[in-house]
Short mmCIF file of all heavy atoms in Angstrom, two decimals:
data_model
loop_
_atom_site.label_atom_id
_atom_site.label_comp_id
_atom_site.label_asym_id
_atom_site.label_seq_id
_atom_site.Cartn_x
_atom_site.Cartn_y
_atom_site.Cartn_z
N THR A 298 12.92 -4.15 -18.14
CA THR A 298 13.59 -4.61 -16.96
C THR A 298 14.71 -5.57 -17.42
O THR A 298 14.45 -6.43 -18.22
CB THR A 298 12.58 -5.29 -15.99
OG1 THR A 298 11.53 -4.34 -15.69
CG2 THR A 298 13.32 -5.72 -14.72
N VAL A 299 15.88 -5.40 -16.84
CA VAL A 299 17.00 -6.26 -17.19
C VAL A 299 17.64 -6.82 -15.95
O VAL A 299 17.98 -6.00 -15.04
CB VAL A 299 18.10 -5.47 -18.03
CG1 VAL A 299 19.18 -6.43 -18.50
CG2 VAL A 299 17.45 -4.79 -19.26
N ARG A 300 17.80 -8.09 -15.87
CA ARG A 300 18.48 -8.69 -14.72
C ARG A 300 19.84 -9.25 -15.29
O ARG A 300 19.91 -9.97 -16.16
CB ARG A 300 17.70 -9.89 -14.19
CG ARG A 300 18.37 -10.50 -12.96
CD ARG A 300 17.33 -11.37 -12.17
NE ARG A 300 17.99 -12.01 -10.99
CZ ARG A 300 18.21 -11.41 -9.82
NH1 ARG A 300 17.80 -10.10 -9.72
NH2 ARG A 300 18.72 -11.97 -8.86
N TRP A 301 20.93 -8.68 -14.65
CA TRP A 301 22.27 -9.02 -15.02
C TRP A 301 22.89 -10.13 -14.22
O TRP A 301 22.47 -10.27 -13.08
CB TRP A 301 23.15 -7.70 -14.94
CG TRP A 301 22.61 -6.52 -15.69
CD1 TRP A 301 21.67 -5.58 -15.22
CD2 TRP A 301 22.87 -6.16 -17.05
NE1 TRP A 301 21.40 -4.71 -16.19
CE2 TRP A 301 22.16 -5.03 -17.25
CE3 TRP A 301 23.75 -6.74 -17.97
CZ2 TRP A 301 22.20 -4.42 -18.55
CZ3 TRP A 301 23.83 -6.07 -19.23
CH2 TRP A 301 23.03 -4.93 -19.50
N GLN A 302 23.88 -10.77 -14.74
CA GLN A 302 24.59 -11.68 -13.96
C GLN A 302 25.57 -11.02 -13.01
O GLN A 302 25.86 -11.47 -11.91
CB GLN A 302 25.43 -12.64 -14.89
CG GLN A 302 24.65 -13.66 -15.64
CD GLN A 302 24.21 -14.84 -14.80
OE1 GLN A 302 24.69 -14.94 -13.68
NE2 GLN A 302 23.35 -15.63 -15.35
N ASN A 303 26.07 -9.81 -13.41
CA ASN A 303 27.10 -9.11 -12.65
C ASN A 303 26.44 -7.90 -11.99
O ASN A 303 25.90 -6.97 -12.63
CB ASN A 303 28.17 -8.60 -13.68
CG ASN A 303 29.38 -8.06 -12.99
OD1 ASN A 303 29.35 -7.43 -11.93
ND2 ASN A 303 30.52 -8.28 -13.64
N ALA A 304 26.51 -7.83 -10.62
CA ALA A 304 25.95 -6.77 -9.89
C ALA A 304 26.64 -5.42 -10.17
O ALA A 304 26.01 -4.34 -10.03
CB ALA A 304 26.07 -7.02 -8.37
N SER A 305 27.79 -5.47 -10.69
CA SER A 305 28.51 -4.22 -10.97
C SER A 305 27.86 -3.44 -12.10
O SER A 305 27.82 -2.23 -12.04
CB SER A 305 29.97 -4.57 -11.44
OG SER A 305 30.74 -3.40 -11.68
N VAL A 306 27.27 -4.14 -13.08
CA VAL A 306 26.50 -3.46 -14.22
C VAL A 306 25.36 -2.74 -13.57
O VAL A 306 25.13 -1.53 -13.87
CB VAL A 306 26.09 -4.49 -15.23
CG1 VAL A 306 25.31 -3.76 -16.32
CG2 VAL A 306 27.29 -5.26 -15.84
N ALA A 307 24.52 -3.36 -12.78
CA ALA A 307 23.37 -2.75 -12.18
C ALA A 307 23.78 -1.65 -11.24
O ALA A 307 23.07 -0.64 -11.13
CB ALA A 307 22.54 -3.78 -11.39
N ASN A 308 24.97 -1.64 -10.73
CA ASN A 308 25.47 -0.61 -9.87
C ASN A 308 25.76 0.67 -10.64
O ASN A 308 25.61 1.76 -10.15
CB ASN A 308 26.64 -1.05 -9.07
CG ASN A 308 27.09 -0.07 -8.01
OD1 ASN A 308 26.36 0.42 -7.22
ND2 ASN A 308 28.38 0.25 -8.02
N HIS A 309 26.19 0.51 -11.91
CA HIS A 309 26.60 1.62 -12.70
C HIS A 309 25.45 2.27 -13.50
O HIS A 309 25.39 3.50 -13.74
CB HIS A 309 27.67 1.24 -13.74
CG HIS A 309 29.06 1.16 -13.07
ND1 HIS A 309 29.95 2.21 -13.07
CD2 HIS A 309 29.61 0.09 -12.48
CE1 HIS A 309 31.04 1.78 -12.52
NE2 HIS A 309 30.90 0.52 -12.07
N LEU A 310 24.48 1.50 -13.91
CA LEU A 310 23.43 1.98 -14.86
C LEU A 310 22.53 3.04 -14.28
O LEU A 310 22.06 3.87 -15.05
CB LEU A 310 22.59 0.75 -15.36
CG LEU A 310 23.32 -0.15 -16.40
CD1 LEU A 310 22.45 -1.29 -16.67
CD2 LEU A 310 23.61 0.60 -17.67
N PRO A 311 22.23 3.12 -12.95
CA PRO A 311 21.43 4.23 -12.45
C PRO A 311 21.98 5.59 -12.62
O PRO A 311 21.26 6.60 -12.40
CB PRO A 311 21.25 3.86 -11.00
CG PRO A 311 21.36 2.39 -10.94
CD PRO A 311 22.39 2.07 -11.91
N ALA A 312 23.22 5.72 -13.14
CA ALA A 312 23.80 7.06 -13.43
C ALA A 312 23.11 7.56 -14.66
O ALA A 312 23.14 8.81 -14.97
CB ALA A 312 25.32 6.89 -13.64
N ILE A 313 22.43 6.73 -15.43
CA ILE A 313 21.70 7.19 -16.62
C ILE A 313 20.28 7.69 -16.10
O ILE A 313 19.60 6.96 -15.44
CB ILE A 313 21.44 6.02 -17.62
CG1 ILE A 313 22.77 5.46 -18.06
CG2 ILE A 313 20.55 6.51 -18.81
CD1 ILE A 313 22.70 4.26 -18.94
N PRO A 314 19.89 8.89 -16.38
CA PRO A 314 18.65 9.47 -15.93
C PRO A 314 17.47 8.56 -16.29
O PRO A 314 17.38 8.06 -17.45
CB PRO A 314 18.58 10.81 -16.64
CG PRO A 314 19.94 11.24 -16.86
CD PRO A 314 20.66 9.94 -17.14
N GLY A 315 16.62 8.26 -15.27
CA GLY A 315 15.39 7.42 -15.50
C GLY A 315 15.66 5.99 -15.22
O GLY A 315 14.66 5.29 -15.08
N VAL A 316 16.82 5.57 -15.03
CA VAL A 316 17.11 4.11 -14.71
C VAL A 316 17.07 3.95 -13.25
O VAL A 316 17.72 4.68 -12.40
CB VAL A 316 18.46 3.72 -15.29
CG1 VAL A 316 18.76 2.23 -14.93
CG2 VAL A 316 18.47 3.87 -16.83
N THR A 317 16.38 2.88 -12.81
CA THR A 317 16.26 2.60 -11.36
C THR A 317 16.76 1.15 -11.10
O THR A 317 16.44 0.22 -11.84
CB THR A 317 14.73 2.69 -10.97
OG1 THR A 317 14.27 3.97 -11.17
CG2 THR A 317 14.64 2.34 -9.50
N ARG A 318 17.51 1.00 -10.09
CA ARG A 318 17.96 -0.34 -9.66
C ARG A 318 16.91 -0.84 -8.65
O ARG A 318 16.62 -0.27 -7.61
CB ARG A 318 19.32 -0.29 -9.06
CG ARG A 318 19.80 -1.68 -8.64
CD ARG A 318 21.29 -1.60 -8.26
NE ARG A 318 21.50 -0.86 -6.99
CZ ARG A 318 22.62 -0.72 -6.33
NH1 ARG A 318 23.71 -1.34 -6.79
NH2 ARG A 318 22.67 -0.03 -5.21
N THR A 319 16.37 -2.04 -8.97
CA THR A 319 15.32 -2.63 -8.06
C THR A 319 15.88 -3.67 -7.14
O THR A 319 15.19 -4.00 -6.17
CB THR A 319 14.20 -3.23 -8.96
OG1 THR A 319 14.74 -4.21 -9.77
CG2 THR A 319 13.50 -2.15 -9.82
N ASP A 320 17.01 -4.20 -7.44
CA ASP A 320 17.77 -5.08 -6.55
C ASP A 320 19.22 -5.06 -6.99
O ASP A 320 19.58 -4.30 -7.88
CB ASP A 320 17.16 -6.53 -6.35
CG ASP A 320 17.24 -7.31 -7.68
OD1 ASP A 320 18.23 -7.21 -8.39
OD2 ASP A 320 16.30 -8.09 -7.91
N ASP A 321 20.01 -5.85 -6.37
CA ASP A 321 21.47 -5.83 -6.67
C ASP A 321 21.86 -6.07 -8.14
O ASP A 321 22.83 -5.53 -8.59
CB ASP A 321 22.26 -6.89 -5.84
CG ASP A 321 22.46 -6.41 -4.41
OD1 ASP A 321 22.16 -5.23 -4.09
OD2 ASP A 321 22.97 -7.20 -3.62
N ARG A 322 20.97 -6.79 -8.86
CA ARG A 322 21.36 -7.19 -10.23
C ARG A 322 20.31 -6.77 -11.28
O ARG A 322 20.39 -7.11 -12.43
CB ARG A 322 21.66 -8.64 -10.34
CG ARG A 322 22.83 -9.09 -9.56
CD ARG A 322 23.33 -10.52 -9.91
NE ARG A 322 22.35 -11.50 -9.29
CZ ARG A 322 21.78 -12.46 -10.01
NH1 ARG A 322 21.86 -12.55 -11.32
NH2 ARG A 322 20.94 -13.30 -9.39
N THR A 323 19.30 -5.98 -10.82
CA THR A 323 18.13 -5.69 -11.78
C THR A 323 17.90 -4.18 -11.85
O THR A 323 17.94 -3.45 -10.91
CB THR A 323 16.87 -6.35 -11.24
OG1 THR A 323 17.11 -7.79 -11.02
CG2 THR A 323 15.73 -6.19 -12.29
N VAL A 324 17.71 -3.71 -13.09
CA VAL A 324 17.46 -2.34 -13.38
C VAL A 324 16.16 -2.30 -14.19
O VAL A 324 15.85 -3.16 -14.94
CB VAL A 324 18.55 -1.57 -14.09
CG1 VAL A 324 19.83 -1.55 -13.21
CG2 VAL A 324 18.88 -2.17 -15.44
N THR A 325 15.52 -1.16 -14.14
CA THR A 325 14.28 -0.89 -14.90
C THR A 325 14.27 0.53 -15.42
O THR A 325 14.85 1.48 -14.78
CB THR A 325 12.99 -1.25 -14.11
OG1 THR A 325 11.86 -1.19 -14.95
CG2 THR A 325 12.85 -0.25 -12.93
N VAL A 326 13.59 0.74 -16.61
CA VAL A 326 13.50 2.08 -17.15
C VAL A 326 12.26 2.12 -18.06
O VAL A 326 11.85 1.11 -18.58
CB VAL A 326 14.73 2.43 -17.95
CG1 VAL A 326 14.85 1.59 -19.22
CG2 VAL A 326 14.75 3.90 -18.38
N ASP A 327 11.61 3.32 -18.04
CA ASP A 327 10.41 3.48 -18.86
C ASP A 327 10.65 4.45 -20.01
O ASP A 327 11.30 5.58 -19.74
CB ASP A 327 9.27 4.01 -18.01
CG ASP A 327 8.81 3.04 -16.89
OD1 ASP A 327 9.10 1.89 -17.02
OD2 ASP A 327 8.26 3.53 -15.91
N ALA A 328 10.21 4.16 -21.23
CA ALA A 328 10.41 5.07 -22.35
C ALA A 328 9.56 4.41 -23.51
O ALA A 328 9.28 3.29 -23.48
CB ALA A 328 11.90 5.20 -22.79
N PRO A 329 9.19 5.28 -24.49
CA PRO A 329 8.50 4.76 -25.62
C PRO A 329 9.55 4.01 -26.57
O PRO A 329 10.73 4.34 -26.55
CB PRO A 329 7.96 5.99 -26.39
CG PRO A 329 8.88 7.11 -25.92
CD PRO A 329 9.32 6.71 -24.53
N MET A 330 9.00 3.04 -27.30
CA MET A 330 9.83 2.47 -28.37
C MET A 330 9.86 3.43 -29.58
O MET A 330 8.87 4.06 -29.77
CB MET A 330 9.26 1.14 -28.82
CG MET A 330 9.53 -0.04 -27.93
SD MET A 330 11.24 -0.59 -28.03
CE MET A 330 11.09 -2.16 -27.25
N PRO A 331 10.91 3.52 -30.40
CA PRO A 331 12.17 2.86 -30.26
C PRO A 331 13.25 3.54 -29.40
O PRO A 331 14.36 3.05 -29.35
CB PRO A 331 12.61 2.80 -31.75
CG PRO A 331 12.14 4.04 -32.32
CD PRO A 331 10.79 4.30 -31.65
N ASP A 332 12.84 4.61 -28.70
CA ASP A 332 13.78 5.20 -27.78
C ASP A 332 14.30 4.19 -26.76
O ASP A 332 15.50 4.33 -26.34
CB ASP A 332 13.17 6.46 -27.06
CG ASP A 332 12.62 7.53 -28.05
OD1 ASP A 332 13.14 7.51 -29.14
OD2 ASP A 332 11.71 8.26 -27.64
N LEU A 333 13.55 3.37 -26.34
CA LEU A 333 13.86 2.35 -25.26
C LEU A 333 14.94 1.46 -25.87
O LEU A 333 15.86 0.98 -25.20
CB LEU A 333 12.64 1.59 -24.89
CG LEU A 333 12.73 0.78 -23.65
CD1 LEU A 333 12.97 1.68 -22.45
CD2 LEU A 333 11.45 -0.13 -23.42
N TYR A 334 14.81 1.17 -27.14
CA TYR A 334 15.82 0.28 -27.81
C TYR A 334 17.19 0.94 -27.85
O TYR A 334 18.17 0.38 -27.58
CB TYR A 334 15.37 -0.11 -29.22
CG TYR A 334 16.07 -1.29 -29.76
CD1 TYR A 334 15.64 -2.58 -29.65
CD2 TYR A 334 17.23 -1.07 -30.55
CE1 TYR A 334 16.31 -3.67 -30.27
CE2 TYR A 334 17.90 -2.17 -31.09
CZ TYR A 334 17.44 -3.42 -30.93
OH TYR A 334 18.11 -4.50 -31.45
N ARG A 335 17.16 2.21 -28.20
CA ARG A 335 18.38 3.00 -28.16
C ARG A 335 19.02 3.04 -26.81
O ARG A 335 20.25 2.91 -26.63
CB ARG A 335 18.18 4.40 -28.73
CG ARG A 335 19.43 5.22 -28.77
CD ARG A 335 19.20 6.48 -29.57
NE ARG A 335 20.48 7.28 -29.74
CZ ARG A 335 20.73 8.04 -30.80
NH1 ARG A 335 19.88 8.16 -31.80
NH2 ARG A 335 21.87 8.67 -30.78
#
């Protein structure tokens, strides 16, 4: 889970499959490591 200072970032990231925006500045994604790091 990543909380950004800029809502624009969280607005763009859900275009990546599996990424969910949980509020205006926060996104979350599930994956195994190290795929999650990539």
Side-chain angles (χ1 to χ4, degrees):
T298 304
V299 185
R300 184 165 179 81
W301 305 87
Q302 289 282 353
N303 190 327
S305 181
V306 179
N308 188 48
H309 283 267
L310 288 173
I313 301 171
V316 177
T317 301
R318 185 173 62 174
T319 58
D320 64 35
D321 281 353
R322 294 191 288 124
T323 308
V324 298
T325 187
V326 65
D327 297 337
M330 283 287 196
D332 300 338
L333 196 63
Y334 196 91
R335 180 170 185 149

